[in-house]
Amino acid sequence: MMGYNPQLNANGELQHLLTIEGLPREIVLHILDTAHSFLLVGEREIKKVPLLRGKAIFNLFFEASTRTRTTFEIAAKRLSADVINLNVGTSSQSKGETLLDTVANLSAMHADMFVVRHSQSGAAHLIARHVAPYIHVINAGDGRHAHPTQGLLDMFTIRHYKKEFAALRVAIVGDVLHSRVARSQIHALTTLGVPAVRVVGPRTLLPSNVSELGVQVYHDMAAGLKDVDVVIMLRLQNERMNGALLPSAQEFFKYYGLTPEKLANAKPDAIVMHPGPMNRGIEIESSVADGRQSVILPQVTFGIAVRMAVMAILAGNA
Amino acid sequence: MSKPLPEAEELLGRLAERMRASVTPDTALIGIHTGGVWLAQRLHNALGLRQPLGTIDVSFYRDDYGSRGLHPKVRPSDIPFDVADADIILVDDVLHTGRTIRAAMNELFDYGRPLSIRLAALIDRGGRQLPIAAQFVGTEVSVADGEQIELKKNEQGRLSLVLNRQAPA
Amino acid sequence: MKIQIKGGRVVDPGSAVEKVQDVFIAAGKVLALGTAPNGFHANRVIDAIGMVVCPGLVDLSARLREPGYEYKATLESEMAAAVAGGVTSLVCPPDTDPPLDEPGLVEMLKHRARSLNQAHVYPLGALTQGLKGERITEMAELLDAGCVAFSQADVPLNDNQVLLRAMQYASTFGYPVWLRPRDAALGRDGVAHDGQVATRLGLAPIPAIAETVALSTILLLVRETGARVHLCRLSTSDGVDMVRQAKSMGIDVTCDVSANHVHLSEMDIGYFDANCHLVPPLRSIRDRDALRRGVQDGTVDAICSDHTPVDEDAKQLPFGESESGATGLELLLALTLKWGEEAKIPLAATLAKVTSEPARILGIRAGAIGLGASADLCVFDPHARWNVEPAKLKSQGKNTPFAGYEMSGKVRFTLVEGHVVYEG
C-alpha cells in the first residue's frame, strides 16, 4: 500500500500536489526550474501566457484565507485560466452537504483543477482519492499536515539567494507542532539534500517525534541560529499564546522572537524568511522584518511564480 | 536514402553572408532555444550587432500543450532590450511546420509591438503547416517524415547537424 | 433436534481436549463426545471432516448499535454478522443512545436479542448515569435486568473521586467493573498515536501516557478497593508491562486487546485511511509487538473484536473528522488464528483467547465443549482461504482496515443451544 504514490499518475508524472513528502527530487527541481521562467514572465509588461486558456480552476477554500487564495488566483489568471472562488465555510455540518458531495457537484461543473484549503489534515488526500481522473488537486493547506506550494516557494527563495543547497544550515523557528508550513519545509529541505535542518522552539511547540523527520532540535535560540544561512520564522497563532502551551506572547518573544541581537548569531549574509502574515513584535521585530536581510516580500512574488509552475505542470499531465 | 547532411559551420558562414546586407547595427537578434540560441550567438558576433542578444523559450506558447503537457525542460526567456518598435530577426536551427515560429511570434508580442520580425533559419526542411516563411535560409534539406534534424554543439563550441529517427522533442 | 457433528477435530481449550471425534447434541446440549449414546438417531448429520469443532466464540466487545444508532446498524444485521463469525456469546458496551443506565433499556435489548435466537447477548451496564461520570447507576437493578458488569465504554471518567466511589460500591457486591484506561485530559483532542505517523501527517496526537497514567490510577484503586476490574483494549507496551507487574504482585485484574491492535500499527494509517481511525489508536510497531507478547504469555487474557459498525458517510471524511471504529465480528476468528499461526502457538491455546478465557472473565458457562453444557459451537475450516470483501460482510458496517487482506479460516457452521444458526 505504501508503494503506491497518490500524487503520481501511472507514468510517474505529477497528477496532484498534496504534500512534498514522497515527491521525487527531480520533480521538486523541475517545479523550481519552471518557476524561474514564470518569474521572468512576471517581470514583463504582459504578465500572462496562454497556457491554461479554457481551463477552469476552482479555489475550494474550506478554511478562510485571503492571502493564499489571492496568490493562487493571480497565478491562475496569469496562465489565462478561468478562476472560480468558493468559500465553502469551515464546517461541512453547517450546510449539511458532505465534503465529497461538494467536490462531486463541482466536478460536474467541468472543473479541471481544485485548489483546496481545509482545516483537517488529510482533506486534500481524501478529495484527490475521489475526483475524476482528469481533475488535478493542489493542496493549499490541510490542517497541520502540509502546505506544499509554500514549501516549494520557500525552496525557490533559498535557491534564489543561496544558489546551492548542499552546504546550507537552515533554522525553522516557532510553532512547528501546529505548522503545516514547517512540515512541508522540512520535507523539501531534506529532499533537496540540505545537510543541517534545525527546528527551534519550546518543547510545547515541537512534536515529540520531530527528530525522526531528520531535523536537529534546539530549545535555545542563540544556539539554534548559530552560523545558519537561512532563518525561517513561523507564525504564532493567537490561540497558542495564552493557554497551556505558552504563558504569553511576551514570554515567547523574549526567548524566540527574532531580534537583531538574536539574528547576529547567524551568518552575516543569512536571509530571514516568514510565510506570512507576520505578527510583528511576537515572532519577529519590525527592524528585522523590514531590514536588509529580510526576503519576506520577495517570497510573495516567488509564490506566484511557483504556483504558476505547479498549475502549468499539473494541467499538462494526463 | 537521403543525401548526407551539410556541414553546419559552413552553412552558418553562408547564412551570415546572406544576412549581412540586410541588417543594421540596431537590428535585434533573438535566438529560439536551444539550437537557435547557439546560432544567434554566432551570428551576433559575426554580424557585429550592437543590440544585446535575446533568447526565447516558446514552451508557454506552444499549441501542443494539451496533448503533450509542459515541456520537461523550460528555459528562461531573456529579452534585454525593448521589443517595442524594434527590428527583430528570429533565429532558429530547423524550420519545419512553422508552429515554433508562430509560438515565438505570439510570445514576442507579449513583450511589446515590434516594428518588424524576420526569420533566419539554418535549415528549411519544408513541410509547412502554417503560412510561415524564412527570409534568410542556410539551405533547404529534404528528410522523411519520421526523421528529425538536430543541431549539436561540441565542447569546443563547434556546431554540427545530425539526423535522428525518433519523435521530435 | 438431534445433531451429530461427524469427523471434526474437536478442540476444547478449557479442558485441553483436542481429538478427532464426533459430537452428539440433543435438547440443545452436548450429549456425548466420541461414541454415540445408545439409541441416538441424528435428525441431522453435519460433515465436519477436515474441520475444527470448537466452542462458539465469546466476544468481549461488539457494538450492536441498538438502541439509538439504527442508521449505522441494527440488531438483525449485527447478530447475523456475529454468528457468521462463529460468535455465540457477545458483550455489548453501554454506549447506546440512550446509554444502558436504566433496567428497562437493558431488558428491552435482551428481549430483542433473545427473540432473534442467535448469539447470547451480555450487556454491560453504564457505570455512571448517562455515562456522564457524576453519579453511579443502580447497579443491582441493572444486574437483575441482565447486565454482567459495569463500564464507561469509551467515555473517560475524569473525576477520580467518582471512580473510587463507583469501584467501592461495585466491590461491595462483587460486581465487576470494566474500564478502558484512558486519561480524560491527556491527548483528549487527539485522533492518532503520538508517534512518527501523527507527526508526519499532522494528526492531533494521543500519547501513550494517556493510557498508562489512567492505568496506573486504576490499578492503585483496585488495590485500594478490591474491586474486580477488567481492563479493556490495552494498546501500549508500557501498559502491558504494568499489567504484568500488577498480576505478579497478586492484583486481581484481567485485560483484553482488540484483534485490530494485535495486527496493525500506526503505519497502517498510510495516506490517512480513516478505517484505521480507532480508539484506542493504533500505536507503534513496538507497542503492537508488546501486545502480541502479552497475549502469548497470558498477561493479556483475551482477544475481542471491538466490533464497531460505522456508516460510510462517517468514514468518508478527513481522518480527524471521521468516526472511529472498525467492523470486526466476522474477522475475529481468522485474525486470532492468524496471530496464533504467526506466534507459532498450538491451536487450543490460540482458541482459548476467544473462547475459554473470555468466558472465564465473564464468569459464564460458555467457551467450552462440556458434557451437558449448552451446545454453542463453531465448526470452521482452518485451511479455507478467503479475501476480506467489505461489501460481502453481513454486518452493516463495511468499515474494516483489513479490506483486501487474505485470511485463513472460515466458519462453516455455528450452533447456539443446539440449533444451527449459521451455515456458510
Side-chain angles (χ1 to χ4, degrees), chain C residues 115-259:
Chain C
S115 69
L116 291 174
N117 283 318
Q118 289 174 312
H120 306 287
V121 173
Y122 296 93
L124 293 176
L127 186 66
T128 59
Q129 289 180 21
L131 292 172
K132 290 209 181 87
E134 290 160 14
R135 300 168 55 176
I136 52 185
T137 50
E138 294 177 303
M139 295 190 200
E141 303 275 320
L142 288 168
L143 208 81
D144 282 344
C147 289
V148 292
F150 300 92
S151 150
Q152 279 287 112
D154 281 343
V155 184
L157 240 185
N158 50 18
D159 188 334
N160 282 335
Q161 181 82 309
V162 172
L163 180 59
L164 171 64
R165 298 287 173 234
M167 285 169 70
Q168 278 175 333
Y169 187 77
S171 74
T172 311
F173 308 99
Y175 300 153
V177 179
W178 288 31
L179 295 169
R180 288 216 182 192
R182 180 175 182 177
D183 188 77
L186 293 171
R188 89 183 118 217
D189 297 321
V191 296
H193 169 62
D194 187 9
Q196 49 159 307
V197 173
T199 297
R200 277 193 301 108
L201 297 185
L203 295 172
I206 304 174
I209 49 168
E211 175 166 296
T212 51
V213 164
L215 187 51
S216 157
T217 301
I218 294 170
L219 290 171
L220 287 167
L221 290 181
V222 166
R223 219 171 59 174
E224 180 77 13
T225 61
R228 182 52 200 87
V229 165
H230 173 73
L231 300 159
C232 306
R233 301 331 95 69
L234 283 200
S235 69
T236 62
S237 167
D238 285 345
V240 173
D241 287 343
M242 286 168 73
V243 172
R244 190 178 286 120
Q245 196 192 36
K247 283 185 173 184
S248 74
M249 279 165 38
I251 297 182
D252 181 22
V253 279
T254 53
C255 68
D256 69 52
V257 80
S258 107

Side-chain angles (χ1 to χ4, degrees), chain C residues 28-192:
Chain C
K29 299 200 193 304
V30 174
L31 200 55
L33 293 170
T35 333
N38 280 330
F40 183 94
H41 290 294
N43 300 113
R44 176 167 183 185
V45 176
I46 292 176
D47 180 359
I49 294 177
M51 314 246 184
V52 171
V53 181
C54 69
L57 273 57
V58 179
D59 191 347
L60 293 184
S61 179
R63 285 186 167 85
L64 303 174
R65 295 309 201 181
E66 278 190 35
Y69 294 107
E70 287 83 355
Y71 65 96
K72 293 184 188 298
T74 59
L75 223 51
E76 278 81 2
S77 61
E78 302 322 294
M79 298 288 278
V83 293
V87 172
T88 57
S89 300
L90 62 88
V91 177
C92 62
D95 57 356
T96 48
D97 182 19
L100 297 177
D101 61 0
E102 286 247 321
L105 292 168
V106 176
E107 275 157 13
M108 207 160 66
L109 177 60
K110 283 219 71 150
H111 181 75
R112 273 269 286 146
R114 240 191 328 261
S115 69
L116 291 174
N117 283 318
Q118 289 174 312
H120 306 287
V121 173
Y122 296 93
L124 293 176
L127 186 66
T128 59
Q129 289 180 21
L131 292 172
K132 290 209 181 87
E134 290 160 14
R135 300 168 55 176
I136 52 185
T137 50
E138 294 177 303
M139 295 190 200
E141 303 275 320
L142 288 168
L143 208 81
D144 282 344
C147 289
V148 292
F150 300 92
S151 150
Q152 279 287 112
D154 281 343
V155 184
L157 240 185
N158 50 18
D159 188 334
N160 282 335
Q161 181 82 309
V162 172
L163 180 59
L164 171 64
R165 298 287 173 234
M167 285 169 70
Q168 278 175 333
Y169 187 77
S171 74
T172 311
F173 308 99
Y175 300 153
V177 179
W178 288 31
L179 295 169
R180 288 216 182 192
R182 180 175 182 177
D183 188 77
L186 293 171
R188 89 183 118 217
D189 297 321
V191 296

Side-chain angles (χ1 to χ4, degrees), chain A residues 124-141:
Chain A
H125 271 81
L126 179 67
I127 292 175
R129 255 207 298 276
H130 287 89
V131 290
Y134 57 85
I135 297 183
H136 305 280
V137 177
I138 298 179
N139 182 6

